[in-house]
Amino acid sequence: KERKCSNEYVLYSVYRILESPVSCAEEVLPPTIQNLMKGYNKYLRPLFGNGPVTVGMSLDIASIDTISEINMDYTATIFLRQRWTDERLCFEGNKSLSLDGRLVELLWVPDTFIVDSKKSFLHDITVENRLIRIFPNGTVLYALRITTTVACSMDLTKYPMDKQTCTLQLESWGYNVKDVVFYWTRGNQSVSGLDTLQLAQYTLEDYYTSESEAVYETGNYPKLIFHFQLRRSILYFILETYVPSSALVVLSWVSFWISQSSVPARICIGVTTVLTMTTLMMGARTSLPNANCFIKAIDVYLGICFSFIFGALIEYAVAHFCTLHQPNAANAYMYGQEMQDREDEMNGIVTSIGSQALRARRREEMLSRAGSTGSSAPRKEEKPSSPPRSTCGRSLLVARRVACMLNCCHVENPHYIDNYARLSFPLSFIFINLLYWTYYLYF
């Protein structure tokens, strides 16, 4: 029963401390702090009714752990330091007072928050990571250790040769510009820790600070913005994506040096490279957001490589089709000579027929003249006949024109297709690569 009463007394004492910290401070705090706490009201800001209180801020970036393209955010651990002057906390002396962080509950502090934060927490191992220091002139230093996940809008059209500019914005939640004014204590030098910062895929190029005001329906609120620019390191993607995809394109060109009669070998190379390229394209998109609005640089390059690999497979299909409709390539020259001889023979036949027709016509004319003078018998009326030469000549001319038109789509030797592909495919790929890298690196 006595132990139960003792526990109830302890709980009651703690309750009194939480409910009336000022009165409890008079009992347990040192005399200097007791004098500061007399008449102090933590619910009223400094200079209440006499103008805004100025709050200076500085940041120390401990680490940037994760930068996610899928969620479009980054996670950072920061040390946030805030300074302001509270005339109610002035005391005599030349040394500052370092207080336990848990005593922050007795003081007024700014209601600062991170604007684009998705998730944040204050470190509390082994105790809450807070720092309170009071100077003789009433200046208060308040420091926090925070890990926060902040949204960052990214433009991925040049991924992985892109640059991203992210921000960390600090605002006051309830006090507008008439009550609180924020400023960076040392301008761009207010942010430290970036010189020794090591990131996995990025390189920090530049950073700067700015001051602004956030305009809402309830009024204008002070805002501080920290901007930092990141450039992605491309070496990883060259080794992981660009080199394998280019090697697959070169591998698809091996089929140009394989005989067209080796159908299984050439089909195996073509199908294997197409399937491997498809797998590589799917793997490259696993770490990227599934958004149709982003046509990234890596997608363009993989599409170019896939087109060349698929084109090499189509090239063999065309060459093999032409081989089935043409004689053997080894006899292509003999076949051409034979066709030329046949054409010459046909021309000779047409010429001889024309000459025989002309001689027959002359003979008939001579006989008709002799019959008209040497014989009184009436001649039979003859019908005029068209010259055979003109009819055969026109037919031959039309046949040659039709053959000329068909010869435009005709491949005399299908093996020439592979010869052209051996030169055209590499030159085209090199030219497109020059255009690709020039555009995405310098424009």
Side-chain angles (χ1 to χ4, degrees):
K1 184 176 180 180
E2 292 178 357
R3 185 178 299 175
K4 181 178 181 181
C5 293
S6 177
N7 293 337
E8 291 179 353
Y9 177 76
V10 172
L11 293 175
Y12 177 74
S13 301
V14 173
Y15 173 77
R16 289 293 303 276
I17 292 175
L18 296 176
E19 288 295 324
S20 55
V22 176
S23 61
C24 294
E26 296 178 356
E27 300 177 0
V28 296
L29 295 179
T32 304
I33 305 301
Q34 290 183 18
N35 295 332
L36 293 178
M37 294 295 102
K38 285 182 179 179
Y40 186 88
N41 189 351
K42 69 175 183 179
Y43 301 109
L44 297 179
R45 65 173 177 83
L47 301 177
F48 182 76
N50 295 321
V53 56
T54 57
V55 180
M57 296 192 184
S58 62
L59 292 175
D60 191 355
I61 308 296
S63 65
I64 297 180
D65 305 322
T66 306
I67 301 176
S68 174
E69 291 82 10
I70 297 178
N71 300 322
M72 289 197 178
D73 56 26
Y74 67 92
T75 302
T77 300
I78 63 174
F79 296 92
L80 175 62
R81 301 183 182 92
Q82 306 178 77
R83 294 174 180 266
W84 69 92
T85 300
D86 193 344
E87 296 179 352
R88 298 172 294 178
L89 299 177
C90 296
F91 62 92
E92 295 180 359
N94 55 5
K95 294 183 179 180
S96 61
L97 297 177
S98 296
L99 307 180
D100 190 280
R102 287 167 287 192
L103 291 178
V104 72
E105 302 295 337
L106 305 177
L107 303 177
W108 177 90
V109 294
D111 55 350
T112 307
F113 75 102
I114 301 174
V115 179
D116 297 326
S117 176
K118 295 181 178 180
K119 181 177 64 176
S120 302
F121 65 91
L122 178 67
H123 291 261
D124 55 0
I125 302 299
T126 57
V127 294
E128 290 187 353
N129 295 170
R130 294 182 177 183
L131 181 146
I132 286 288
R133 187 171 296 167
I134 303 176
F135 295 87
N137 62 349
T139 300
V140 181
L141 172 62
Y142 179 42
L144 299 169
R145 184 189 178 199
I146 304 172
T147 295
T148 178
T149 301
V150 185
C152 178
S153 180
M154 299 182 182
D155 183 9
L156 299 176
T157 53
K158 289 190 175 182
Y159 177 91
M161 292 167 282
D162 56 331
K163 294 180 180 179
Q164 304 298 338
T165 300
C166 298
T167 61
L168 180 66
Q169 304 181 37
L170 303 173
E171 288 185 15
S172 175
W173 176 256
Y175 295 104
N176 56 27
V177 293
K178 297 180 181 180
D179 299 321
V180 174
V181 175
F182 286 170
Y183 70 96
W184 293 106
T185 55
R186 298 184 304 275
N188 291 339
Q189 302 299 323
S190 302
V191 181
S192 59
L194 295 174
D195 298 334
T196 59
L197 195 63
Q198 297 292 331
L199 301 178
Q201 292 187 12
Y202 290 89
T203 302
L204 183 66
E205 283 200 335
D206 190 18
Y207 65 92
Y208 60 95
T209 59
S210 64
E211 301 176 6
S212 180
E213 291 184 5
V215 180
Y216 297 103
E217 184 179 357
T218 55
N220 297 351
Y221 297 86
K223 175 192 289 188
L224 297 181
I225 308 174
F226 168 57
H227 311 259
F228 58 99
Q229 189 177 72
L230 302 171
R231 173 185 285 276
R232 196 183 304 273
S233 300
I234 195 176
L235 180 60
Y236 167 80
F237 298 94
I238 289 178
L239 299 177
E240 186 74 13
T241 303
Y242 285 97
V243 171
S245 58
S246 302
L248 287 175
V249 174
V250 176
L251 180 62
S252 67
W253 297 341
V254 175
S255 62
F256 300 153
W257 277 265
I258 299 178
S259 174
Q260 292 185 2
S261 60
S262 302
V263 178
R266 297 193 65 165
I267 291 296
C268 180
I269 290 179
V271 174
T272 303
T273 51
V274 168
L275 294 178
T276 308
M277 192 66 207
T278 304
T279 305
L280 188 63
M281 293 173 66
M282 295 176 62
R285 294 187 59 87
T286 53
S287 61
L288 297 175
N290 297 325
N292 296 328
C293 57
F294 289 114
I295 301 178
K296 295 167 283 296
I298 195 170
D299 294 335
V300 175
Y301 191 83
L302 292 176
I304 292 172
C305 294
F306 184 83
S307 300
F308 272 90
I309 293 174
F310 190 75
L313 183 61
I314 296 300
E315 182 272 344
Y316 175 65
V318 173
H320 187 69
F321 178 80
C322 295
T323 304
L324 297 177
H325 292 77
Q326 289 290 347
N328 195 358
N331 301 325
Y333 179 77
M334 296 177 61
Y335 175 77
Q337 291 294 329
E338 182 180 354
M339 293 298 294
Q340 185 67 31
D341 295 341
R342 289 183 181 180
E343 184 177 356
D344 294 340
E345 182 181 355
M346 183 176 293
N347 292 336
I349 293 174
V350 171
T351 304
S352 61
I353 292 175
S355 60
Q356 291 177 5
L358 181 59
R359 287 196 297 270
R361 182 179 179 184
R362 288 179 179 177
R363 188 181 300 110
E364 289 179 359
E365 289 179 355
M366 292 176 64
L367 291 175
S368 63
R369 290 176 182 176
S372 61
T373 55
S375 175
S376 58
R379 291 183 304 168
K380 294 182 179 179
E381 187 176 355
E382 296 180 354
K383 296 180 181 180
S385 60
S386 59
R389 180 182 178 184
S390 60
T391 304
C392 294
R394 290 176 182 176
S395 302
L396 184 61
L397 182 60
V398 172
R400 285 183 176 178
R401 289 180 179 178
V402 173
C404 229
M405 294 174 61
L406 295 176
N407 197 29
C408 295
C409 303
H410 174 70
V411 179
E412 294 184 358
N413 191 349
H415 289 274
Y416 290 162
I417 299 177
D418 284 343
N419 295 335
Y420 297 148
R422 293 172 189 174
L423 184 63
S424 61
F425 272 70
L427 291 179
S428 302
F429 188 68
I430 293 173
F431 178 72
I432 292 177
N433 266 271
L434 291 176
L435 294 180
Y436 174 86
W437 292 105
T438 302
Y439 174 77
Y440 282 105
L441 290 178
Y442 300 103
F443 294 98

